[in-house]
Amino acid sequence: MAGENAVKPKGIKAKIENFWYHYKYHSIAIFIVFITIAVSLAQCAFKTDYDLKIIVATRSMTLSTPQIEAITNELNRYGTDVNGDGEVNILLVDCTIDGNTSDYQTLLGKQQKLQALLMTDIEAMLFLTDNECLEWIDSLNEETHFIEDTGLPHNNGRGFLVSDTHIIQNPKKTVDAEKGLLWPDDLSICRRKIKGTAFEEKEGIEKATQQADAFIGRIMESNKK
């Protein structure tokens, strides 16, 4: 039999070369799987665990990444360490567009992104919106609406105007080195509606709602006229 008469490789080098010859593709596949798993675990280990997620949605202008980051820094002072990791981290999700100048693909992509967040993301309890986008969001469901009337002082009880507070005014000073930036003068913070929606029975939703309302409350308290 050929198998019985085959000469067995002698020495470590010969054995390695023989193994590589027969199992080269198996080894490569296993190596790729190992690297993929290692990278995924590393990403999970170093991924920021955010205490609060806020959707920034406009239809009057597109905000740049430096603008979003500067606004985030201002909002962080009102956050609390919800997850117990010793830090306060707030994530702002960019859904800003300019309805007049944004190209069709950008408009479509940002609108689909916003609608997906509205429908599925229970962590996204809060919104920073201009007036036009707030009304557009609410119009997506004319029966129940998406923005809660919590008795806030603006937008018929649905929002608190932050454009004339440090949340926008400080970023305007620090980021305006980049010429041509526009800043909305009607940006309000508001909370998504929970009662009567698919999220109403979700576990932990009552606590999340209280935390969102408390966050808005701290902003209002700190920015009293």
Side-chain angles (χ1 to χ4, degrees):
M1 301 282 295
E4 295 174 348
N5 297 325
V7 178
K8 294 184 177 179
K10 297 180 180 181
I12 294 177
K13 182 179 179 181
K15 289 180 178 179
I16 291 174
E17 289 175 345
N18 182 67
F19 176 87
W20 183 249
Y21 177 80
H22 288 95
Y23 300 105
K24 175 170 58 178
Y25 296 109
H26 300 77
S27 300
I28 292 174
I30 292 172
F31 179 75
I32 292 173
V33 170
F34 174 79
I35 292 298
T36 302
I37 293 174
V39 170
S40 298
L41 290 174
Q43 288 176 337
C44 290
F46 293 102
K47 182 180 179 181
T48 302
D49 186 10
Y50 292 100
D51 297 291
L52 193 65
K53 182 185 292 186
I54 302 175
I55 299 173
V56 188
T58 63
R59 293 181 71 83
S60 59
M61 64 190 64
T62 302
L63 298 180
S64 67
T65 297
Q67 287 175 294
I68 296 290
E69 291 175 348
I71 295 171
T72 302
N73 290 336
E74 296 298 320
L75 288 172
N76 272 330
R77 70 175 68 182
Y78 299 108
T80 57
D81 182 16
V82 175
N83 54 37
D85 64 357
E87 299 179 349
V88 175
N89 289 296
I90 294 176
L91 173 65
L92 265 62
V93 183
D94 181 12
C95 292
T96 63
I97 56 173
D98 186 329
N100 295 317
T101 63
S102 295
D103 63 85
Y104 176 74
Q105 291 299 327
T106 299
L107 284 169
L108 184 61
K110 289 284 185 76
Q111 286 187 173
Q112 289 177 339
K113 178 181 178 181
L114 177 54
Q115 287 175 304
L117 290 166
L118 288 167
M119 299 294 184
T120 64
D121 196 342
I122 195 172
E123 294 181 359
M125 294 288 293
L126 294 173
F127 302 86
L128 277 175
T129 71
D130 59 13
N131 292 341
E132 185 178 352
C133 193
L134 190 152
E135 299 304 332
W136 181 80
I137 291 172
D138 249 5
S139 71
L140 294 174
N141 191 329
E142 295 182 355
E143 185 175 340
T144 62
H145 302 293
F146 277 105
I147 306 298
E148 183 69 83
D149 177 354
T150 56
L152 295 174
H154 308 113
N155 305 103
N156 296 317
R158 296 169 296 168
F160 176 71
L161 188 67
V162 300
S163 285
D164 58 351
T165 71
H166 71 90
I167 294 171
I168 299 299
Q169 296 305 315
N170 284 351
K172 287 176 77 171
K173 298 173 186 175
T174 58
V175 183
D176 267 358
E178 185 178 339
K179 302 298 182 182
L181 292 179
L182 298 176
W183 296 85
D185 58 7
D186 58 351
L187 202 66
S188 295
I189 189 163
C190 50
R191 196 247 299 160
R192 75 154 63 238
K193 188 173 185 179
I194 297 299
K195 189 173 182 180
T197 72
F199 290 158
E200 189 172 9
E201 302 301 323
K202 295 288 186 180
E203 182 179 355
I205 193 62
E206 184 176 350
K207 183 177 181 180
T209 302
Q210 292 171 352
Q211 290 170 342
D213 287 341
F215 181 81
I216 296 177
R218 289 190 291 271
I219 292 176
M220 292 177 60
E221 182 66 25
S222 181
N223 293 280
K224 284 181 176 179
K225 294 295 184 180

